[in-house]
């Protein structure tokens, strides 16, 4: 009364020879049905060849090839059944292999990446910098400035945290100024500006116990420093501190001539103990620091003379 069901419609991997032979032998139309044993024998030979080539019913349908054995089933129906089987295989798999789960994971990754890359707010930047600013470690101050404050001030120049940041900037600038000035003598570097040069000289005098000369240099710093510049303002702060430090030691200050004479005597002791290098360094300081000072001119000349003697002894 009607066409028989196709084997390939239920089993996609059905061999072509079995699917087509069954279909053609059950065909209701005489012109299509295999009517004789001879025709069936030829169809079987053709089927075996196709099986040897590894071609299944679905592949035959999609290839579009025709011959003694041809798949006449509706290709759309085969495709629909095939999709249903694929979907069933997916549904039977683990949840983490399913498309909806993978899509959620992708959305989550994109969301986290966007959150990480999203610029921090003004308050978030300051909150991240605050504990580093409050630290006693200069390395933390540098991190606060480079990682957070530079971005904050660039993006929010009128930030509500400006007062606290300015206070921190001054404290950090003072630390940097101290390090630069220490390195001037240590590495023979050139001062960056006049106020820094004057402070370095005052610091040398103070370390040499010439407090009065140091005080004078610090006062010159206060006159020369441009307080609108953060680095010069930091040097001026150091000069203020130097003056206050010297004021607490005024009672112990010797007259300049007595101080220089004491240093000459100290150099003599060092030389007599065989400490030629230390003696030479001390005499060299007297010459470099007081050259041109009329009050101690004779002592400076004496220091030069002793340097010559030390050099002669070394030869």
């Amino acid at each position: 009364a009607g066409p028989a069901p196709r084997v390939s419609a239920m089993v996609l991997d059905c061999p072509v020879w079995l699917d087509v032979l069954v279909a053609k032998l059950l065909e209701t139309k005489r012109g299509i049905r295999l009517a004789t044993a001879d025709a069936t024998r030829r169809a079987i030979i053709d089927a075996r060849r196709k099986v040897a080539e590894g071609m299944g019913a679905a592949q035959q349908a999609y290839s579009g090839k025709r011959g003694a054995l041809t798949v006449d089933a509706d290709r759309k129906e085969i495709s629909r059944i095939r999709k249903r089987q694929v979907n069933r295989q997916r549904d039977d798999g683990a949840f983490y292999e399913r498309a909806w789960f993978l899509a959620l994971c992708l959305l989550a990754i994109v969301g986290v990446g966007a959150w990480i890359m999203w610029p921090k707010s003004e308050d978030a930047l300051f909150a991240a910098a605050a504990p580093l600013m409050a630290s006693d470690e200069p390395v933390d101050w540098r991190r606060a400035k480079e990682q957070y404050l530079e971005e904050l001030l660039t993006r929010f120049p009128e930030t509500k945290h400006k007062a606290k940041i300015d206070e921190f900037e001054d404290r950090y600038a003072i630390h940097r100024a101290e390090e630069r000035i220490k390195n001037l003598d240590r590495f023979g570097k050139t001062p960056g500006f006049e106020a820094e040069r004057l402070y370095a000289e005052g610091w040398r005098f103070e370390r040499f116990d010439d407090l009065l000369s140091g005080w004078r240099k610090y006062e010159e710093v206060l006159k020369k420093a441009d307080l609108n510049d953060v680095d010069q303002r930091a040097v001026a702060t150091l000069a203020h501190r130097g003056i206050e430090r010297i004021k607490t030691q005024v009672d112990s200050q010797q007259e300049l001539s007595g101080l220089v004479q004491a240093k000459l005597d100290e150099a003599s002791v060092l030389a007599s103990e065989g400490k030629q290098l230390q003696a030479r360094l001390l005499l060299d300081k007297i010459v470099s620091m007081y050259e041109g000072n009329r009050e101690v001119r004779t002592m400076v000349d004496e220091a030069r003379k002793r340097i010559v003697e030390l050099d002669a002894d070394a030869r």
Side-chain angles (χ1 to χ4, degrees), residues 102-118:
L102 297 176
L104 287 177
C105 289
L106 179 60
L107 287 174
I109 292 171
V110 172
V112 171
W115 179 78
I116 292 173
M117 297 300 293
W118 196 268

Side-chain angles (χ1 to χ4, degrees), residues 264 293-303:
L264 284 171
N293 189 313
R294 295 180 180 180
E295 184 179 352
V296 291
R297 180 184 298 169
T298 56
M299 296 177 185
V300 171
D301 291 340
E302 176 64 22

Side-chain angles (χ1 to χ4, degrees), residues 119-137:
K120 288 184 171 63
S121 67
E122 175 184 356
D123 289 336
L125 285 169
F126 184 77
L132 298 174
M133 293 162 58
S135 171
D136 293 329
E137 298 295 330

Side-chain angles (χ1 to χ4, degrees), residues 23-51:
K24 286 187 177 292
L25 288 169
L26 296 177
E27 179 59 54
T28 57
K29 295 180 181 180
R30 181 177 298 178
I32 300 176
R33 185 174 61 242
L34 292 172
T36 67
D38 186 57
T40 303
R41 181 183 64 81
R42 289 197 304 270
I44 291 174
I45 293 172
D46 189 29
R48 286 177 174 171
R49 180 181 59 79
K50 291 182 180 293
V51 171

Side-chain angles (χ1 to χ4, degrees), residues 84-157:
R84 187 165 65 243
Q85 288 187 344
V86 171
N87 289 335
R88 187 182 298 117
Q89 291 173 354
R90 290 177 178 172
D91 291 341
D92 291 341
F95 75 93
Y96 52 79
E97 295 178 344
R98 299 179 185 177
W100 64 266
F101 180 79
L102 297 176
L104 287 177
C105 289
L106 179 60
L107 287 174
I109 292 171
V110 172
V112 171
W115 179 78
I116 292 173
M117 297 300 293
W118 196 268
K120 288 184 171 63
S121 67
E122 175 184 356
D123 289 336
L125 285 169
F126 184 77
L132 298 174
M133 293 162 58
S135 171
D136 293 329
E137 298 295 330
V139 66
D140 288 335
W141 301 346
R142 181 175 180 178
R143 285 180 55 209
K145 183 174 178 63
E146 294 181 352
Q147 295 182 12
Y148 304 109
L149 296 183
E150 288 180 354
E151 180 182 351
L152 193 157
L153 293 173
T154 299
R155 293 174 52 206
F156 308 99

